[in-house]
């Protein structure tokens, strides 16, 4: 946080969701609580799933949860997880054609992402929970992050249940920006100099911590749309400086360790659990303060893993051991100099 006191920073780390930059009433109702939702999605689920690789066509359906029922629209979304050789069940986008009322849990939602189980077995359900946990870890470090809401979702088609699996909703970018007193910036590729260096250093350290390389904070596959698995927040919708990169989509991270995750051939690393620092040299001046932030946040980060409903002990211990490697790196000045400062872009 740019002008936060040490006390405010500690509050942000240890008392989510209350912190120095956001007020609890700024979050939409869906993301103001972290209890597990029971959700039923009833509609042409088989058609959406069967055509996901080639089609993101929208279909009418119904969502029932928390004593409410809403007419919704569902569509397959994403890129890699729509491929049948990776997932038999794609992630979904949920749309609300009619705005839910002020008393609704879904008030303020227009279109929202739902991360699904990919394949219908307990192993992949743990992958969902590991990715959910990864979002929560970044919540523990900074409010400038996407909130998530865990749900046990029953998918129903033609009156017959297809599957009941854990999934999670991801906060909309505009809502996340509003929560922290900022605006989501819709822009094409940007210069590194347009990014706030503290926020950029924090982002890059987090991606190094979780072993993720599938991102870019200043560019996207389409130069007119920034950025790859990231959003930019600023003081105004047309801001061109001091932009805050906010990451999402962590299924290719070593911490999640999805069976289908593979590193980019460009990086020449053996697997996704091998860490590569991809922060910019322009952010090196901000690294000491951000490294201290991560060291101080370690108890909160490790405690968060034990709070994830359904995350089994094996997953907790595997993730904790993986994080131990990161904290070992940042505790050693020689490793910081070689793996971080000396490896910057």
């Amino acid at each position: 946080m740019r002008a936060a006191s040490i006390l405010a920073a500690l509050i942000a780390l240890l008392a989510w969701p209350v912190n120095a930059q956001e007020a609890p009433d700024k979050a939409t109702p869906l993301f103001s609580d972290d209890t597990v939702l029971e959700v039923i999605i009833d509609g042409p689920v088989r058609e959406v799933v069967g055509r996901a690789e080639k089609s993101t066509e929208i279909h009418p359906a119904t969502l029932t949860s928390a004593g409410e029922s809403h007419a919704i629209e569902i569509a397959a979304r994403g890129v890699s997880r729509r491929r049948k050789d990776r997932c038999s069940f794609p992630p979904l986008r949920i749309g609300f054609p009619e705005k839910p009322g002020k008393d609704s849990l879904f008030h303020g939602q227009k279109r929202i992402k739902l991360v699904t189980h990919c394949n219908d077995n307990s192993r992949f359900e743990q992958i969902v929970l590991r990715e959910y946990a990864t979002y929560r870890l970044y919540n523990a470090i900074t409010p400038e992050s996407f909130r998530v809401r865990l749900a046990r979702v029953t998918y129903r088609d033609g009156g017959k249940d297809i599957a009941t699996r854990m999934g999670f909703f991801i906060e909309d970018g505009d809502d996340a920006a509003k929560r922290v007193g900022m605006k989501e910036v819709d822009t094409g590729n940007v210069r590194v100099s347009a990014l706030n260096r503290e926020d950029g250093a924090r982002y890059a350290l987090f991606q190094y911590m979780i072993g993720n390389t599938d991102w870019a904070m200043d560019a996207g596959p389409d130069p007119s749309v920034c950025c790859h698995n990231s959003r930019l927040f600023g003081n105004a919708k047309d801001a061109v400086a001091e932009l805050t990169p906010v990451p999402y989509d962590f299924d290719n991270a070593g911490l999640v360790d999805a069976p289908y995750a593979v590193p980019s051939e460009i990086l020449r690393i053996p697997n996704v659990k091998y860490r590569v620092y991809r922060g910019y040299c322009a952010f090196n001046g901000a690294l000491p303060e951000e490294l201290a932030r991560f060291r101080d946040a370690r108890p909160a980060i490790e405690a968060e893993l034990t709070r994830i409903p359904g995350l089994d002990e094996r997953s907790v211990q595997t993730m904790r051991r993986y994080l131990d490697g990161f904290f070992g790196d940042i505790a050693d000045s020689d490793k910081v100099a070689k793996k971080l400062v000396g490896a910057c872009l």
Side-chain angles (χ1 to χ4, degrees), residues 5 63 102 104 136 164 177 195 280 295 310 318 331:
S5 65
L63 182 150
K102 291 184 178 180
S104 171
R136 293 287 300 229
T164 298
L195 303 174
Y280 289 107
R295 295 185 193 107
T318 298

Side-chain angles (χ1 to χ4, degrees), residues 115-135:
V115 176
T116 63
H117 51 282
C118 181
N119 288 300
D120 192 15
N121 58 57
S122 58
R123 180 187 184 190
F124 277 88
E125 190 160 73
Q126 286 298 305
I127 298 301
V128 169
L129 294 171
R130 289 186 185 193
E131 187 174 8
Y132 169 80
T134 305
Y135 280 88

Side-chain angles (χ1 to χ4, degrees), residues 217-342:
M217 66 176 84
D218 60 336
D222 179 350
S224 67
V225 181
C226 193
C227 306
H228 181 49
N229 290 338
S230 309
R231 292 287 185 266
L232 296 176
F233 294 174
N235 292 329
K237 291 188 73 66
D238 58 354
V240 295
E242 293 298 306
L243 300 176
T244 297
V246 183
Y248 65 89
D249 200 351
F250 304 124
D251 67 316
N252 272 306
L255 185 65
V256 176
D257 197 21
Y260 57 77
V262 293
S264 168
E265 294 180 359
I266 298 174
L267 297 175
R268 297 182 180 180
I269 55 177
N271 56 65
V272 294
K273 301 196 79 170
Y274 190 94
R275 287 186 172 92
V276 177
Y277 182 67
R278 297 179 59 235
Y280 289 107
C281 300
F283 302 153
N284 280 353
L287 273 178
E289 181 178 349
E290 296 306 321
L291 286 166
R293 179 192 298 274
F294 278 76
R295 295 185 193 107
D296 292 343
R298 183 174 186 175
I301 288 171
E302 293 180 338
E304 192 60 43
L305 292 178
T306 67
R307 300 190 185 107
I308 307 302
L311 190 67
D312 63 28
E313 185 61 24
R314 180 179 179 181
S315 288
V316 171
Q317 294 304 322
T318 298
M319 296 176 80
R320 184 169 287 170
R321 285 194 298 271
Y322 190 72
L323 292 172
D324 284 344
F326 166 76
F327 287 110
D329 285 351
I330 67 171
D332 185 317
S333 59
D334 289 338
K335 288 183 178 179
V336 169
K338 180 179 179 179
K339 294 187 174 184
L340 301 177
V341 176

Side-chain angles (χ1 to χ4, degrees), residues 1-324:
M1 285 156 278
R2 300 179 182 85
S5 65
I6 295 176
L7 177 60
L10 288 173
I11 291 173
L13 293 172
L14 300 177
W16 182 88
V18 179
N19 56 62
Q21 284 200 337
E22 61 179 311
D25 62 354
K26 289 291 184 69
T28 57
L30 182 59
F31 297 99
S32 295
D33 192 355
D34 59 4
T35 55
V36 181
L37 289 174
E38 296 289 340
V39 175
I40 298 173
I41 293 177
D42 191 351
V45 176
R46 289 189 179 91
E47 183 175 357
V48 171
V49 170
R51 300 178 60 191
E53 188 164 9
K54 297 182 179 180
S55 173
T56 57
E57 182 181 354
I58 295 171
H59 297 266
T62 301
L63 182 150
T64 303
S65 183
E68 305 174 16
S69 184
H70 298 275
I72 61 169
E73 296 173 334
I74 59 174
R77 64 170 185 86
V79 180
S80 62
R81 279 186 269 196
R82 284 171 47 212
R83 289 171 44 184
K84 290 184 179 180
D85 62 340
R86 290 197 171 189
C87 294
S88 63
F89 200 105
L92 300 176
R93 188 178 302 279
I94 309 296
F96 291 84
E98 296 184 7
K99 295 180 180 180
K102 291 184 178 180
D103 295 330
S104 171
L105 175 67
F106 296 92
H107 177 64
Q109 305 304 326
K110 297 178 182 177
R111 292 195 306 167
I112 189 168
K113 294 177 179 179
L114 174 62
V115 176
T116 63
H117 51 282
C118 181
N119 288 300
D120 192 15
N121 58 57
S122 58
R123 180 187 184 190
F124 277 88
E125 190 160 73
Q126 286 298 305
I127 298 301
V128 169
L129 294 171
R130 289 186 185 193
E131 187 174 8
Y132 169 80
T134 305
Y135 280 88
R136 293 287 300 229
L137 298 189
Y138 204 45
N139 294 157
I141 294 166
T142 174
E144 294 167 346
S145 55
F146 287 104
R147 286 193 183 178
V148 284
R149 183 71 181 269
L150 197 60
R152 183 178 293 103
V153 187
T154 295
Y155 302 94
R156 187 173 292 169
D157 189 325
K160 295 182 179 180
D161 291 355
I162 296 174
T164 298
R165 287 294 179 186
M166 300 299 286
F168 61 89
F169 295 102
I170 305 175
E171 187 178 30
D172 178 76
D174 284 332
D175 292 337
K178 181 179 179 181
R179 173 169 49 79
V180 295
M182 304 177 80
K183 299 288 186 181
E184 186 173 17
V185 179
D186 295 323
T187 182
N189 292 354
V190 299
R191 295 179 181 274
V192 175
S193 58
L195 303 174
N196 176 275
R197 67 173 192 162
E198 290 82 9
D199 296 341
R202 188 180 314 131
Y203 173 116
L205 273 177
F206 176 74
Q207 299 281 25
Y208 180 75
M209 180 180 84
I210 67 173
N212 192 25
T213 57
D214 187 26
W215 57 269
M217 66 176 84
D218 60 336
D222 179 350
S224 67
V225 181
C226 193
C227 306
H228 181 49
N229 290 338
S230 309
R231 292 287 185 266
L232 296 176
F233 294 174
N235 292 329
K237 291 188 73 66
D238 58 354
V240 295
E242 293 298 306
L243 300 176
T244 297
V246 183
Y248 65 89
D249 200 351
F250 304 124
D251 67 316
N252 272 306
L255 185 65
V256 176
D257 197 21
Y260 57 77
V262 293
S264 168
E265 294 180 359
I266 298 174
L267 297 175
R268 297 182 180 180
I269 55 177
N271 56 65
V272 294
K273 301 196 79 170
Y274 190 94
R275 287 186 172 92
V276 177
Y277 182 67
R278 297 179 59 235
Y280 289 107
C281 300
F283 302 153
N284 280 353
L287 273 178
E289 181 178 349
E290 296 306 321
L291 286 166
R293 179 192 298 274
F294 278 76
R295 295 185 193 107
D296 292 343
R298 183 174 186 175
I301 288 171
E302 293 180 338
E304 192 60 43
L305 292 178
T306 67
R307 300 190 185 107
I308 307 302
L311 190 67
D312 63 28
E313 185 61 24
R314 180 179 179 181
S315 288
V316 171
Q317 294 304 322
T318 298
M319 296 176 80
R320 184 169 287 170
R321 285 194 298 271
Y322 190 72
L323 292 172
D324 284 344

